Amino acid sequence: MPAQQRSARGKRQGEASLGARWPMLLALAVLTGACSLLADSALSDKPSETVGPGDTSTGGGCASDCPDGACCGGACVDLSADAAHCGACGNACGADESCCGGSCIDVLNDPQHCGACGAACLNTLCVGGHCSSECVFGYDNCDGNIVTNGCEVDLTSDPERCGGCSLRCPSGAVCAGGTCACAPPLLDCDDRDDTGCEIDGSSDAAHCGACGVTCGSNMVCQAGACACKPGYADCNGSPEDGCEARLGTDSSCRGCDDACGPGMRCDLPGGCACTEGRLDCDGAPGCESIITDPATCGACGAPCDPATPYCDGATCAAVCAPGLSVCGFSCVDTQRDASHCGACGVAAGPHQRCDAGALACDAGFADCDPAAPGCESDLTRDARSCGACGVTCKPGAACVDGACACEGFTPHDCGDACRACCSDADCSDGDGCTTDVCTDGGAACRSTGCAGGEQCCSQVACLECCTSADCSDGQICSGGACIRPCAPGLVACDGACVSLSSTEHCGACGNACLSGRTCKDGACTPPWVPMTTTGAPAPRQLAAATWIGDALFVWGGRTSTGDVDDGALYDPARDAWSPLDREGAPSPRVLASAAWTGSRVLVWGGGSFVSTSGVATGGAYDPVARAWRAMSTAGAPAPRRAPIAVWTGTRMLIWGGDAGGAPVAGGALYNPAADAWAPISSAGAAPARDGVAWAWSGTELYLFGGQAGGAPTSEGHAYNPTTDVWRALPGAGAPSARRDAFAVWMGSQLLIWGGMDRNGNFLKDGASYDPATGMWSPIDNADSPSQRSRVERRTGWTGWTGTRALIAGGWSVPMTRRDGKLYDPLGGWAASMPSAERTHSFGVGVWTGTELILWSGVNGPSLTLEGERFRP
């Protein structure tokens, strides 16, 4: 059951408790008011009397420095803490209440004053004066450390844990009310995690301003609103056919109401004008007169006399000049005269002209109906003749710029027609509490809410209850179900009563110790446990590895017999290995990089063990289907070994690495849904460097230090794949120049520690960078680990527990380190990590979120099959 459903508690439970006490409080208030009125009436006609020692008057008996109103019965009291005089003299708190800041508080149930004033629960409920392990509504205990920091995550606003501890918003999205929402103007219209916010709602005509809002014919999306394309207008006011009127035509010249009259044509930018050979002599709309007419020969009011009855359009003559034909008394050029085209009396119709003595259609028009005059069909928008005569658009489609396209009200192409929807998937509204159905053969979408007896919890799911206030008969809500309160010694976890001393719930709900450990005093022990070798793949070095949510993925590398293309999955809950399928896998290689999308492992890059050159190929592995698929090479980055690879939420980001013995820069983004690569910006990008420290924040890739040429640097860079923008980190306060440093993203800050300076000296200092303030801060070196560096893909591993950063392993001449240390950004260096049993040089080292898994690699002079797991 999602964590956000478990954590929906508290506030409504408190409201229900207050509701049960309200009638009693109201009765007390009425009795108190009545007594006060009786007392006022009885004393109204009596002189003042001396204040007795038991009186609550604020009169004399107190020192002059006693605050106003704090002298009660002759004694100066602390109105903020005195239970007998809480906030005012005589205002006594109840038996189960304490005076906290001048207010009577039920310390048995108030999470801000639980058991005592000021003893606040860390976003957990207060039960019987003790902070419980049940989170208040909207919060959850994601790091499993309920004692130290309580329910530390705000599920309503944290994009890393939006609505649940494992529910991470895709890149470009924000968390609002426990639901991932795309940061405007981005939209998620396919409801797929791997593509994230794939639509730009400010410019996408199919999703303009919101998913499914499709702009009509001849429209574009501008700033999230549909608008007519230049040269088009919506003259009929109907959104169904979009901007149906093409401007610049005789029917709509400069606008919707600007139609040209008879004998006129649109001549922009001026507007309607007389066609060639026509005159407007009567002032009425249109150009009714012809310049070759003897009554208006060349101009209005210029008739020919009987001696020269023929008009050639300029002058009157006795006979027509050679090359002109006599049509009545008009001398015309039948090669271009629109009234006598090719022969006398053959006139051009609408959207026609005379071209070399033959009638021709204007651009974009055609004569598809021989019975109708002129070229009546607009091939750019006529759905019956779209692009050419006889090309009819399917039902629900419109003709847009000479091509058939689905209309805004029927945006989905279902093959035989354009409809509102083709399947239920087209109707998703992003609300987990609704059932979305495509009805009546695609006529409309219908959404229905939760069934009877269920409630919508945080727009995620329909459940029996969201908080305990939804339950009755003294039951509590756990895991979305109402259950009986747990017996003493047990707590409710996901709808079951469990012991917090069990290995599945050690110290907190869901804090599983996994195989090889037991729960003692609320903590999993021992810290290090060995991994089984049964079913493990052959020992190897330089393999690709990543954590896939519930298992360790290992592939490729070099065994004692050569480069390999096999691998396995390791499940730490069962301490068991299972082999990967090899069919379709990438070619054997070392130093490939891997990233987990949530459904696929993407493996890319690397090269041969006996060469320094790299490859630019890879594959996607589906652990459910146990199948490989080759990744496209079109647009892929240049070949490289050991590149940085991170999953952004929608794409895999590849950057850096080395090839031919030298570092390479640049990279690309891979979209597994489209099987396509896209380049990343080079403007302000980090240069190629060896030994660069890096960390992924969930939003940006951070790079620091490294060496290019003869000396390391102290420069830092950050790249945002959503905006495709690089930025330089500030130099003020940054760690000194170094290479091979450790880097850890600590939830909201970047930690840089250790490494080597330009003289080859190992360092044991560092600093943290806060992107919110844009500033570096030094860290306290007290109790820090011994000086060391992290050598990429050889030794040195990091992790973030949710409260502390782990620095493990590393290198300091002449030895590979096997110990480590935890760093608390609030308290400095904390507990030490006991030494691992083996060095695991060039082996696998992966942080799962709760454990560091080390497997195989070189131990001493040879490869080892052994593996081990550390839990802080």
Side-chain angles (χ1 to χ4, degrees), residues 407-433:
E407 289 271 35
F409 289 91
T410 52
H412 298 282
D413 187 349
C414 301
D416 60 333
C418 292
R419 300 188 178 98
C421 53
C422 304
S423 67
D424 294 347
D426 295 330
C427 296
S428 176
D429 59 4
D431 188 339
C433 293

Side-chain angles (χ1 to χ4, degrees), residues 154-175:
D154 183 353
L155 300 179
T156 66
S157 62
D158 190 340
E160 296 296 315
R161 304 171 182 86
C162 188
C165 292
S166 61
L167 302 180
R168 178 181 179 184
C169 293
S171 182
V174 296
C175 184

Side-chain angles (χ1 to χ4, degrees), residues 185 200-204 208-209 220-226:
D200 183 350
S202 67
S203 59
D204 194 306
C208 188
V220 293
C221 184
Q222 297 176 341
C226 293

Side-chain angles (χ1 to χ4, degrees), residues 41 192 225 371 380 502 584 594 692 760 856:
S41 176
R192 291 174 53 183
T380 64
S502 65
V692 65
S856 197

Side-chain angles (χ1 to χ4, degrees), residues 43-114:
L43 297 176
S44 62
D45 60 346
K46 294 184 178 181
S48 299
E49 297 181 354
T50 304
V51 177
D55 211 300
T56 59
S57 168
T58 59
C62 298
S64 59
D65 60 351
C66 184
D68 291 342
C71 185
C72 302
C76 189
V77 301
D78 183 356
L79 298 179
S80 66
D82 194 315
H85 308 283
C86 188
C89 291
N91 186 33
C93 296
D96 293 331
E97 295 180 328
S98 295
C99 185
C100 302
S103 299
C104 291
I105 301 296
D106 180 3
V107 294
L108 296 180
N109 296 290
D110 194 312
Q112 299 302 317
H113 307 278
C114 190

Side-chain angles (χ1 to χ4, degrees), residues 22 62-63 69 96 124 135 163 185 244 254 307 437 511 587 609 642 656 661 688 696 761 789 859:
W22 181 250
C62 298
D96 293 331
T124 65
C135 300
E244 82 292 342
R254 290 175 297 183
V437 179
N511 186 34
S587 59
F609 183 82
W696 170 249
N761 298 316
S789 65
N859 184 61

Side-chain angles (χ1 to χ4, degrees), residues 528 539-542 558 793-795 797 810-811 815-819 835-844 854-868:
W528 282 101
R540 62 196 63 200
Q541 59 180 313
L542 305 176
R558 184 173 181 86
R793 305 298 285 271
R794 176 180 178 179
T795 181
W797 306 281
W811 169 257
M815 61 184 297
T816 300
R817 309 296 309 191
R818 294 183 291 117
D819 62 343
S835 293
E837 187 71 22
R838 295 167 180 81
T839 58
H840 301 286
S841 295
F842 305 106
V844 168
L854 303 179
W855 180 76
S856 197
V858 177
N859 184 61
S862 61
L863 292 172
T864 179
L865 183 61
E866 306 294 330
E868 48 198 316

